[in-house]
Amino acid sequence: MTNQQEQASTTALEALPLRDNLRGQSPYGAPQLEVQHLLNTNENTHPVPQVVVDAIGAAVLDAASSLNRYPDREFTELRQRLARYLGHGLTEDNIWAANGSNEVLQQILQAFGGPERKILSFPPTYSMYPLLASGTNTEYIAGIRADDFTLSPESAAQQVKDSQPDIVFLCSPNNPTGTALGLDVVEAVYEASQAFNAIVVVDEAYEEFSLDTTKSALTLLDGRERLIISRTMSKAFALAGARVGYLATSPQVTDALRLVRLPYHLSAITQAAANAALQHVDVLLATVGEIKAQRNRIVEELRQMGLKPAVSDSNFVFFGWLEDAHAVWQGLLDRGVLIRDVGIPHHLRVTAGTEEETTAFLVALREVIGA
């Protein structure tokens, strides 16, 4: 689309009776460019194993014969399988799912946010949070991190007490920095929120890639009925195209989400694909170790180049300090490698892909920065 076409489109949009809090906003989305190495959206770049492809194909074919009927509104089998995968004594009553973790988060905001309600999060973090807040007419409060992008229990708890939000979003491992929060931060935030009954969400989209010493907030669920742990099948499971996100929480929270979900929101095809995939968890997660190895390789080689990569619990690496981050981004793109300019001065983010993709990125980066 040319600049003239974009201006005409914007003018036409502004002529509509759009809500005031949506005027001037841009849709979420990373650049979609045709280059050899796409390392900008934190996908699992390994292909889906053939045995899983075959299983999903057979399940979808079977589901197709009854598409004249609505799917299981409660997606019971899927909730049961997800509960077994997560463990920790969870049952289907603790599980909810939707079309990607973004819809899961949106439903949380629909149920517990809205006009005259507030959500607190801590930028730099997942850029969809303020967009989801705007979409549900929920006030977004941007908390503060330390200069090194860390968040201490004391600081997080005090900011919760000061702002008294209705919802708190904690991203761990955090996107775009890749670092995980200590469970003491989650505990402190939950304790601080007790006085005003806030919902606390820990977004663990990248948890399967965490370091061995990092513990999931799933261990904190017992006795905390307002705590929600959000997950996805898009990353470690390599099923970004299937659009399956889910959460674990108390049964009363899942009941609340039933009040806002659209009827039959998970299609029979989606349920069939996810259920088939979950019968092959070990096969699907077999690439996680390889991805973590490439992530660690990126961190090590970036340090050798004199750059400063963050410790990563995810399948991507956030790194700086670059004099002109966007110029480096463009130089990589010119060499067929697309990574993410997250808009933070002097920093970029790269997905840890296959060994070949990692090599292509590192070779190109050395050329661009002259290392």
Side-chain angles (χ1 to χ4, degrees):
M1 185 180 291
T2 66
N3 289 337
Q4 186 175 7
Q5 289 173 322
E6 289 181 358
Q7 291 174 357
S9 177
T10 300
T11 301
L13 177 62
E14 292 296 319
L16 295 174
L18 197 64
R19 288 199 333 244
D20 288 342
N21 69 315
L22 296 180
R23 292 189 181 278
Q25 292 206 24
S26 299
Y28 173 85
Q32 291 183 303
L33 305 174
E34 291 188 12
V35 299
Q36 185 175 1
H37 302 292
L38 295 169
L39 299 175
N40 66 324
T41 55
N42 301 338
E43 297 162 313
N44 183 334
T45 63
H46 294 258
V48 179
Q50 191 59 48
V51 64
V52 182
V53 171
D54 293 341
I56 290 175
V60 169
L61 180 62
D62 183 63
S65 65
S66 58
L67 287 180
N68 59 310
R69 300 292 187 181
Y70 287 116
D72 176 9
R73 183 178 58 212
E74 292 297 309
F75 44 95
T76 307
E77 180 184 352
L78 178 56
R79 289 189 294 121
Q80 291 171 342
R81 290 187 180 279
L82 289 169
R84 286 197 294 271
Y85 166 67
L86 292 179
H88 296 279
L90 298 172
T91 72
E92 63 191 83
D93 294 333
N94 299 109
I95 305 298
W96 190 251
N99 294 284
S101 59
N102 287 326
E103 186 178 49
V104 168
L105 300 177
Q106 181 184 58
Q107 290 177 345
I108 293 169
L109 282 165
Q110 288 174 320
F112 302 107
E116 300 182 6
R117 295 200 171 195
K118 299 177 289 186
I119 174 176
L120 169 68
S121 193
F122 299 91
T125 191
Y126 186 31
S127 56
M128 270 299 298
Y129 296 157
L131 295 179
L132 290 167
S134 292
T136 56
N137 212 13
T138 306
E139 180 185 351
Y140 181 78
I141 301 172
I144 299 172
R145 292 175 179 264
D147 290 343
D148 62 356
F149 308 119
T150 57
L151 184 63
S152 71
E154 297 77 15
S155 173
Q158 189 59 54
Q159 291 183 68
V160 169
K161 292 174 183 177
D162 291 344
S163 58
Q164 298 191 11
D166 299 278
I167 306 169
V168 182
F169 274 3
L170 300 170
C171 191
S172 180
N174 186 46
N175 181 8
T177 61
T179 49
L181 292 174
L183 293 187
D184 54 351
V185 177
V186 181
E187 292 176 299
V189 166
Y190 193 89
E191 182 63 29
S193 72
Q194 294 271 45
F196 36 92
N197 208 35
I199 294 291
V200 178
V201 181
V202 184
D203 183 351
E204 290 191 341
Y206 301 94
E207 197 280 334
E208 285 91 349
F209 300 105
S210 292
L211 299 169
D212 294 340
T213 54
T214 300
K215 293 184 179 180
S216 167
L218 287 171
T219 59
L220 302 179
L221 275 176
D222 189 33
R224 294 179 173 88
E225 70 282 350
R226 293 175 290 101
L227 180 62
I228 301 174
I229 314 301
S230 173
R231 293 284 191 95
T232 183
M233 295 184 73
S234 294
K235 308 302 182 182
F237 282 87
L239 293 174
R243 311 307 304 128
V244 182
Y246 60 102
L247 60 75
T249 187
S250 62
Q252 50 266 49
V253 169
T254 60
D255 281 344
L257 298 179
R258 286 179 172 86
L259 300 176
V260 298
R261 59 105 178 264
L262 293 174
Y264 311 104
H265 71 288
L266 276 179
S267 75
I269 300 300
T270 299
Q271 292 183 46
N275 283 324
L278 286 165
Q279 295 178 54
H280 300 276
V281 170
D282 291 345
V283 176
L284 277 172
L285 297 185
T287 60
V288 169
E290 298 176 38
I291 293 168
K292 291 168 71 172
Q294 294 308 314
R295 173 199 67 197
N296 296 341
R297 176 189 171 199
I298 291 171
V299 169
E300 181 179 349
E301 295 204 25
L302 291 183
R303 286 174 179 161
Q304 293 173 3
M305 295 182 205
L307 300 174
K308 296 180 180 180
V311 175
S312 179
D313 276 90
S314 58
N315 69 332
F316 57 86
V317 178
F318 176 74
F319 65 99
W321 281 74
L322 301 162
E323 183 174 348
D324 187 340
H326 189 75
V328 173
W329 177 88
Q330 185 63 57
L332 290 170
L333 180 61
D334 292 342
R335 290 163 174 79
V337 180
L338 177 62
I339 69 171
R340 190 70 173 265
D341 184 345
V342 293
I344 298 174
H346 311 295
H347 289 80
L348 295 170
R349 189 195 73 194
V350 59
T351 303
T354 63
E355 181 178 3
E356 177 190 1
E357 290 169 325
T358 299
T359 298
F361 161 69
L362 292 170
V363 169
L365 182 62
R366 287 183 186 277
E367 291 179 0
V368 173
I369 67 174

